[in-house]
Amino acid sequence: MRDTGEFLFTSESVSEGHPDKVADRISDTVLDAFLAEDPFARVACETLVTTNRVVLAGETRGPDTITPELLTHLTRMAIKDIGYEQDGFHWQNADVAVHLHSQSSDIAQGVDSAGNKDEGAGDQGLMFGYACRETATLMPAPLYYSHEILRTIRDLRKSGHASVAGLLPDAKSQVTLRYVDGKPVGSTAVVVSTQHVAGMEQAEIKRLLWPLVSSILPNGWMPPESEFHVNPTGNFVIGGPDGDCGLTGRKIIVDTYGGAAPHGGGAFSGKDPTKVDRSAAYACRYLAKNVVASGLSDRCTIQIAYAIGVSRPLSVYVDLHGTGKDVDEARLEKTLRDLMDLSPRGIREHLRLNRPIYVPTSAYGHFGREPDEEKGTFTWEKTDLVPALKAAFHR
């Protein structure tokens, strides 16, 4: 994202009832079930959802107590919690097929620790983390507000609030912000598409959502009414997996930074923390957020790369986008490696990732969320490295 001039930038979010997010939720439900029984279980679960059908496939290594029957039950409970009781997709009636098998021994021998060999990365790849000062959560503003719109609708819908009566689980949002010299100053367009019961008029839904979106955006940021687009097709009754097939891992930009930062390409949901696609992306966000929170820069992008079966990262790269406060990026790279062991084992232990903490990540973004000490969720959002970073750079 540019730091000078005037430009528009857009990000989108999708609700927990979007077909791809239903798939992410089920995959992370499977992961949490295994980790609850065995913190060192291995899981790579992909989910497909379509009209009254759910298919789970992938590889696992864990206790025999996690049976297909249990996973079928947990899948139904996840669908029920999202709110699907529709003819085309119902938690009670959907056919659930479980096709999970044992993890490949070829992969296992590269990942497992043995003798003097430390635990290796579960795959090759490159992961990115990002932070900026556009919001209090140190997240890009277009994505932050896109998430907030849908999260608020979700909370009101589940509480039975009259302000969203008739709205159903499947929804998408999109926020376009105007930037001046790298800072957001207002919204030029907002799009909200939400599934609804039959008979609701487009104008009625727009009237419901206008005050809701107005309350979420900063004062004076609402676009003109002509640029507030609600259900632009005019009707959205058929939704969820009945309206569109959903697959795990198809909303990776929604999951991360809304396009404001690079993405390595790997999805998160359904993967245990030996998979650096997930754990190292969390570590990158953790480090980038601490750099910005410590006052060393206004923006920070971090990349880490791995090879399958190799414990040490192949590279660590830091870009402060010209916003560093007299900080040498090469020195910062070394400092970050000194402050955190970036091996797969080191990341898991530092962020305490071997726990059933992943269902909450499956919708409304993996980053910019509030860490919960009691539940152990979103540990990568902590800013506990700030004192050490300030000390390292004499701040």
Side-chain angles (χ1 to χ4, degrees):
M1 193 180 294
R2 299 195 298 268
D3 291 318
T4 58
E6 182 173 333
F7 59 91
L8 304 181
F9 194 85
T10 303
S11 295
E12 71 159 346
S13 180
V14 297
S15 73
E16 61 184 356
H18 184 280
D20 295 329
K21 281 292 151 197
V22 175
D24 284 346
R25 168 68 179 271
I26 293 170
S27 290
D28 277 333
T29 296
V30 171
L31 172 60
D32 279 357
F34 273 91
L35 292 178
E37 292 292 312
D38 178 2
F40 299 100
R42 300 285 171 77
V43 178
C45 177
E46 309 294 341
T47 302
L48 177 150
V49 293
T50 186
T51 302
N52 270 333
R53 184 174 296 273
V54 180
V55 179
L56 278 63
E59 303 79 46
T60 66
R61 189 176 80 192
D64 294 337
T65 52
I66 309 299
T67 63
E69 292 76 19
L70 174 61
L71 295 178
T72 297
H73 169 72
L74 293 175
T75 294
R76 295 191 188 282
M77 292 302 97
I79 296 169
K80 182 180 182 182
D81 183 62
I82 293 170
Y84 276 110
E85 297 184 342
Q86 301 169 16
D87 290 342
F89 195 69
H90 197 295
W91 66 272
Q92 283 182 313
N93 304 331
D95 177 74
V96 180
V98 180
H99 298 288
L100 296 167
H101 60 82
S102 297
Q103 183 188 47
S104 161
S105 58
D106 290 346
I107 294 176
Q109 71 178 356
V111 176
D112 292 345
S113 57
N116 293 325
K117 175 187 175 297
D118 195 6
E119 178 183 301
D123 201 352
Q124 72 175 45
L126 47 137
M127 298 81 207
F128 288 92
Y130 180 72
C132 63
R133 293 195 178 280
E134 293 180 17
T135 63
T137 60
L138 303 186
M139 286 289 287
L143 182 66
Y144 173 82
Y145 293 115
S146 295
H147 283 326
E148 282 299 298
I149 290 168
L150 295 186
R151 192 158 35 212
T152 302
I153 294 173
R154 184 274 313 268
D155 291 345
L156 292 171
R157 176 177 61 82
K158 287 194 168 185
S159 70
H161 200 278
S163 64
V164 295
L167 303 189
L168 297 175
D170 192 0
K172 301 177 75 171
S173 65
Q174 186 170 286
V175 174
T176 300
L177 297 185
R178 183 168 66 92
Y179 283 73
V180 176
D181 294 334
K183 296 181 179 180
V185 297
S187 173
T188 62
V190 173
V191 182
V192 182
S193 296
T194 176
Q195 187 187 17
H196 57 88
V197 298
M200 289 189 77
E201 297 291 334
Q202 181 186 30
E204 177 186 359
I205 299 171
K206 188 172 184 177
R207 284 195 300 273
L208 289 177
L209 294 182
W210 178 271
L212 183 149
V213 174
S214 297
S215 70
I216 292 168
L217 294 179
N219 187 40
W221 277 34
M222 274 298 282
E225 187 174 355
S226 61
E227 296 301 324
F228 181 54
H229 305 282
V230 174
N231 288 3
T233 65
N235 207 43
F236 190 0
V237 174
I238 301 172
D242 187 32
D244 190 13
C245 179
L247 295 170
T248 301
R250 285 207 301 197
K251 287 293 176 284
I252 57 176
I253 300 303
V254 171
D255 286 343
T256 53
Y257 307 103
H263 193 293
F268 302 156
S269 289
K271 297 178 180 178
D272 74 76
T274 66
K275 280 72 169 174
V276 286
D277 275 344
R278 181 169 217 157
S279 57
Y282 291 173
C284 287
R285 163 63 180 176
Y286 173 66
L287 294 177
K289 184 175 182 180
N290 275 270
V291 167
V292 173
S294 68
L296 299 182
S297 69
D298 293 333
R299 292 172 60 201
C300 179
T301 297
I302 293 178
Q303 183 207 61
I304 303 179
Y306 293 87
I308 188 168
V310 179
S311 62
R312 60 176 177 80
L314 304 183
S315 64
V316 176
Y317 168 77
V318 175
D319 183 359
L320 301 181
H321 305 277
T323 69
K325 314 300 183 183
D326 298 320
V327 175
D328 178 72
E329 287 158 329
R331 183 184 167 202
L332 180 56
E333 290 164 2
K334 182 181 183 305
T335 301
L336 293 175
R337 295 184 78 152
D338 290 341
L339 290 176
M340 185 178 185
D341 178 356
L342 293 173
S343 69
R345 182 198 300 273
I347 292 171
R348 288 191 298 101
E349 293 178 351
H350 191 110
L351 297 179
R352 302 172 64 205
L353 298 179
N354 284 101
R355 295 175 295 164
I357 57 174
Y358 295 102
V359 163
T361 69
S362 61
Y364 313 111
H366 292 244
F367 307 126
R369 309 286 291 274
E370 188 69 28
D372 188 317
E373 289 288 342
E374 183 177 344
K375 296 178 181 178
T377 52
F378 301 103
T379 55
W380 49 93
E381 291 297 314
K382 293 182 178 181
T383 53
D384 52 345
L385 292 184
V386 167
L389 282 167
K390 287 184 174 180
F393 289 90
H394 308 291
R395 298 302 167 89

